Amino acid sequence: MPWSETQGPYGRAASIGGYALAAVLAASEIITLALALNPNVNDDYRAFYIDRTTTCLNRDAVGNYTPGQTVSFRSDGAKQAAGMMVCGWSGPVADGTHSLGETSRLRLEIPLLRDGLTATLQMSAVIRPPQITQRVMISVNGVRVHEVTLSSKDPKTISFAIPHPAFASAKVLEMTFDYRDGIPPSSAASNIYKRAIKLVSFRLDAG
């Protein structure tokens, strides 16, 4: 007599239930594995956590700003500066705000302007021999506008023009800092902890 025939109705129901539960668990494992291999996440999350193509995780930050205003990135300007910092920055301290990783971004709301802008920034380099310079490439809304090499721990004032086509009729200006020579705190540290500059102040002037 087959084994299945020796079970009563309750035994057969339990067996069927057990098989069904095993099938559900197997399907769940397959779905979980598929999601792990190809997760349904937004592009920013994927670039930072999965593909690791950026060290700057985008966040929904837009600071209020009026052209002609100088924003301190020292401790005394922490509240306003924090609203502008999208990613790639540490918290402000007494002498400025350190960059973190290979890219940093600032994002701020600006009024509609008919002419270009002039940016004036105070920055210093993070230096650890044999690395004695820091190259910084600055873009605005994806348009490369300036490149500077910093070679001192003392703040340096740099000024450069931002042409009107770089922001045109946009209400938001995003300034991106890319670093070629960032210094990791240790040989085993991830790229997201690299240090390149310390930003001391930020200013935009119209015209």
Side-chain angles (χ1 to χ4, degrees), residues 65-71 117-118 202-206:
Y65 183 78
T66 302
Q69 180 184 25
T70 298
V71 178
L117 291 163
T118 297
F202 172 94
R203 179 185 177 99
L204 294 177
D205 289 289

Side-chain angles (χ1 to χ4, degrees), residues 125-139:
V126 174
I127 293 174
R128 183 190 301 160
Q131 186 63 51
I132 58 173
T133 61
Q134 289 291 342
R135 292 173 293 167
V136 185
M137 279 142 288
I138 303 173
S139 303

Side-chain angles (χ1 to χ4, degrees), residues 15-206:
S15 296
I16 294 171
Y19 292 138
L21 178 60
V24 170
L25 290 175
S28 297
E29 290 292 333
I30 293 171
I31 292 171
T32 300
L33 178 61
L35 288 174
L37 294 174
N38 189 26
N40 183 20
V41 296
N42 64 42
D43 292 342
D44 293 324
Y45 184 99
R46 177 179 294 278
F48 185 83
Y49 287 107
I50 301 173
D51 299 335
R52 299 187 183 277
T53 54
T54 182
T55 61
C56 198
L57 178 61
N58 184 49
R59 74 181 185 94
D60 188 16
V62 181
N64 295 318
Y65 183 78
T66 302
Q69 180 184 25
T70 298
V71 178
S72 172
F73 277 74
R74 297 184 176 98
S75 302
D76 58 359
K79 185 175 181 179
Q80 184 172 10
M84 298 167 55
M85 294 190 290
V86 178
C87 56
W89 304 103
S90 66
V93 293
D95 57 352
T97 297
H98 269 117
S99 65
L100 286 177
E102 297 171 335
T103 300
S104 303
R105 282 191 277 167
L106 301 174
R107 188 184 295 138
L108 50 141
E109 189 174 359
I110 57 171
L112 293 177
L113 300 168
R114 292 182 299 176
D115 300 312
L117 291 163
T118 297
T120 303
L121 311 177
Q122 269 196 320
M123 299 188 295
S124 60
V126 174
I127 293 174
R128 183 190 301 160
Q131 186 63 51
I132 58 173
T133 61
Q134 289 291 342
R135 292 173 293 167
V136 185
M137 279 142 288
I138 303 173
S139 303
V140 170
N141 292 359
V143 177
R144 181 68 56 82
V145 294
H146 193 67
E147 182 172 346
V148 62
T149 298
L150 302 173
S151 57
S152 174
K153 295 181 180 180
D154 296 324
K156 177 181 179 180
T157 300
I158 63 168
S159 293
F160 55 90
I162 303 175
H164 188 258
F167 54 91
S169 59
K171 294 182 179 180
V172 172
L173 183 147
E174 182 166 292
M175 185 173 289
T176 302
F177 302 77
D178 288 309
Y179 314 111
R180 296 285 180 87
D181 310 305
I183 301 171
S186 70
S187 58
S190 167
N191 287 347
I192 64 174
Y193 299 111
K194 284 183 177 180
R195 299 292 180 95
I197 68 164
K198 190 175 288 183
L199 182 60
V200 180
S201 68
F202 172 94
R203 179 185 177 99
L204 294 177
D205 289 289

